Amino acid sequence: MIWLTWSYWLICLGLLVALLLEVFREKNFWKQLSAAMVIIPLALRVLLWK
Amino acid sequence: MKVSYRITAVLVLAVSAFVVLYTGSSYKSMYKDDVIVPGPSVKEVKMLSDYFEGLKDTAGDTEVYVLEGEEPGGTLLFLGGTHPNEPAGFMTAVLFIENAVVEKGRIIIIPQADKSGFTANDPQEASPQRFSFTTAGGNRRTFRYGARATNPLDQWPDPDIYVNPSNQTLSGSETRNLNRCYPGRPDGTLTEKIAYGIMEVIRKENALVSIDLHEASPEYPVINAMVAHEKSIDLASIAVLELELEGIKIRLEKSPPTFYGLSHRSWGDYSDTWPILMETANPSQGRLRSKTNEALVLTGKDPWYVKAQKLGKLYVPFDENGHPIEERVGRHSSSVQAIIRAMEYFFEPEQMITVSNVPGFDELMANGFGNYLNEPAK
């Protein structure tokens, strides 16, 4: 199942990068904040901390 | 005042980064090993991978303590930490490793059977990460309170349905539950490899009797109980009678023949050992508990369980005194010692085990658990 784990990790990493870019593109503060909150669990997943 | 959206982006990301680092360091701290200070009879500390190489350099590898007497005799194996959220089993293992004086035979102890489970808490349970005791010398000894099963970071994903090595069909999350994975698979998941490694310890060390120490929610029917395979039911009966004479009430249950994958069933089916599983009452893992914290783990006092008892919903007595860790470890300790003594009725004299200096139920209740922990090395 290692391939599945790494596929999942790559998807998380892709989403994380997309969200980071989105925070800088977004002009509405509340939407920036929402994206920043979603980043927290994704970053913990990508770092394999949780 | 108009604030640039780039500045707010940096600000919200800085807050996110702080939360990630703060919570991440807390999660990572669970990887720090618990300290066990070996006592006088510990002759060797092996690893589970010494018995099954497939576990080498994995999160499933764990310490195997060999306590050996001067005189040769039989071998008994016992496990703590099959479920790391059931601390009395782990603490009983620590109690034996740090105190026991084995005069004859060998006691092999695996204190953290599912070591991966000690590196995380169960989600949505609000469990404490650790609990502590003060030793006689005033030092603090801290131990981890883990999850019921293997850390999903070490074994992922869970299937929808898990078919275990004994061909039992279970819910998917049980794939990480060590006590559903026996006799294990050498080429299986991490948890199945751990189970296989433990079977190898039983087989290679020729363990006459093997004990798996657990705890259960007060509303769970099998509690303050021993569950014995048909091979070991007579041995467990003698131990239960002896415990009864000491004032320790314990229920004896026969291992159901179709409970494939559980230690009390599969250890006996797949090896020559006589298996016994034991349960005590741990409110910190129950569904009816109130505030979940270190105090609940240690004192076992919970007003909601007192109420549940009055409503007749529990399988153990539960009053304002709760079920402190001393009582739970004391029950396990006295039970293991009663089983060792009862072995004389079933095995040859040269297969006996003699052990002393391990506090039982009365000593632990009188003096507290911390008094029996060794002082940590400077």
Side-chain angles (χ1 to χ4, degrees):
Chain A
M1 290 295 198
I2 291 291
W3 64 271
L4 203 54
T5 303
W6 285 108
S7 307
Y8 172 73
W9 186 83
L10 281 171
I11 292 166
C12 285
L13 182 66
L15 273 173
L16 180 65
V17 171
L19 273 162
L20 286 168
L21 293 174
E22 180 61 19
V23 172
F24 281 100
R25 282 186 193 138
E26 182 57 58
K27 294 181 175 63
N28 181 314
F29 170 75
W30 296 109
K31 288 183 179 172
Q32 283 180 323
L33 189 63
S34 301
M37 285 165 70
V38 177
I39 279 171
I40 294 168
L42 268 176
L44 287 166
R45 284 273 193 272
V46 169
L47 291 164
L48 298 178
W49 288 354
K50 184 64 181 173
Chain B
M1 189 181 77
K2 196 170 180 178
V3 181
S4 160
Y5 69 89
R6 285 182 192 278
I7 293 173
T8 54
V10 171
L11 280 176
V12 293
L13 285 178
V15 173
S16 289
F18 173 77
V19 175
V20 167
L21 290 173
Y22 181 75
T23 55
S25 66
S26 174
Y27 293 134
K28 290 295 282 180
S29 73
M30 291 286 281
Y31 283 81
K32 194 177 174 208
D33 265 346
D34 301 290
V35 175
I36 297 176
V37 186
S41 282
V42 176
K43 293 287 182 291
E44 208 176 350
V45 184
K46 294 182 172 182
M47 297 301 290
L48 200 54
S49 57
D50 294 335
Y51 296 88
F52 170 50
E53 212 173 349
L55 285 167
K56 203 165 181 64
D57 299 323
T58 71
D61 206 2
T62 188
E63 288 79 7
V64 180
Y65 290 78
V66 181
L67 284 66
E68 194 165 352
E70 295 297 320
E71 207 183 328
T75 300
L76 175 133
L77 167 77
F78 81 82
L79 264 58
T82 290
H83 294 146
N85 65 335
E86 299 169 8
F90 176 30
M91 289 299 99
T92 307
V94 171
L95 187 76
F96 268 75
I97 291 166
E98 300 203 359
N99 293 277
V101 175
V102 180
E103 284 114 27
K104 182 176 180 174
R106 294 188 309 161
I107 301 177
I108 297 175
I109 303 173
I110 305 178
Q112 295 174 294
D114 187 353
K115 201 163 184 183
S116 164
F118 282 88
T119 60
N121 285 130
D122 281 316
Q124 301 177 13
E125 293 289 331
S127 308
Q129 288 178 309
R130 291 170 192 81
F131 52 94
S132 299
F133 300 95
T134 304
T135 64
N139 287 301
R140 205 128 180 89
R141 295 279 307 273
T142 301
F143 300 93
R144 284 175 292 179
Y145 185 100
R148 179 172 171 79
T150 300
N151 189 337
L153 281 177
D154 300 322
Q155 184 183 317
W156 185 90
D158 292 347
D160 291 334
I161 293 169
Y162 173 50
V163 181
N164 79 3
S166 307
N167 251 354
Q168 186 90 313
T169 303
L170 301 160
S171 71
S173 62
E174 298 288 29
T175 188
R176 289 181 288 109
N177 181 348
L178 177 58
N179 203 27
R180 299 294 180 277
C181 291
Y182 292 108
R185 289 183 177 112
D187 55 351
T189 64
L190 179 66
T191 314
E192 289 170 347
K193 285 179 179 172
I194 299 168
Y196 184 79
I198 290 166
M199 290 302 301
E200 286 292 277
V201 176
I202 292 170
R203 289 186 283 247
K204 289 179 178 170
E205 297 288 2
N206 192 23
L208 299 173
V209 177
S210 301
I211 302 170
D212 192 11
L213 299 179
H214 285 256
E215 296 204 85
S217 316
E219 67 272 26
Y220 184 64
V222 182
I223 196 158
N224 281 352
M226 280 190 202
V227 187
H229 192 276
E230 52 270 18
K231 287 198 273 190
S232 41
I233 196 84
D234 291 341
L235 172 72
S237 305
I238 300 282
V240 166
L241 284 173
E242 193 184 317
L243 290 165
E244 194 84 24
L245 291 172
E246 290 175 26
I248 301 169
K249 287 197 182 304
I250 193 154
R251 196 183 311 176
L252 177 60
E253 309 233 355
K254 192 174 174 186
S255 168
T258 54
F259 270 32
Y260 305 121
L262 279 82
S263 55
H264 55 75
R265 168 54 39 203
S266 293
W267 285 359
D269 289 353
Y270 291 89
S271 76
D272 294 329
T273 202
W274 291 18
I276 296 172
L277 179 146
M278 294 182 200
E279 300 274 10
T280 59
N282 171 23
S284 70
Q285 68 181 107
R287 297 300 90 197
L288 307 177
R289 66 183 188 269
S290 56
K291 193 173 179 183
T292 314
N293 53 21
E294 183 185 4
L296 181 59
V297 174
L298 295 177
T299 67
K301 290 181 182 173
D302 190 310
W304 290 9
Y305 270 112
V306 175
K307 199 171 180 180
Q309 165 67 25
K310 285 174 185 161
L311 294 169
K313 303 290 183 195
L314 305 183
Y315 289 88
V316 282
F318 209 110
D319 60 20
E320 286 72 13
N321 296 318
H323 289 284
I325 192 107
E326 284 80 7
E327 177 204 299
R328 288 140 53 202
V329 174
R331 291 183 74 91
H332 277 334
S333 172
S334 288
S335 300
V336 171
Q337 293 181 70
I339 287 168
I340 290 171
R341 285 191 296 273
M343 284 172 71
E344 73 171 286
Y345 298 103
F346 302 92
F347 296 99
E348 299 300 323
E350 61 269 22
Q351 295 177 308
M352 289 303 96
I353 298 165
T354 315
V355 60
S356 61
N357 203 42
V358 185
F361 183 87
D362 292 337
E363 292 94 330
L364 284 161
M365 290 301 281
N367 305 320
F369 183 79
N371 278 315
Y372 295 101
L373 288 172
N374 291 336
E375 304 303 330
K378 292 275 181 253

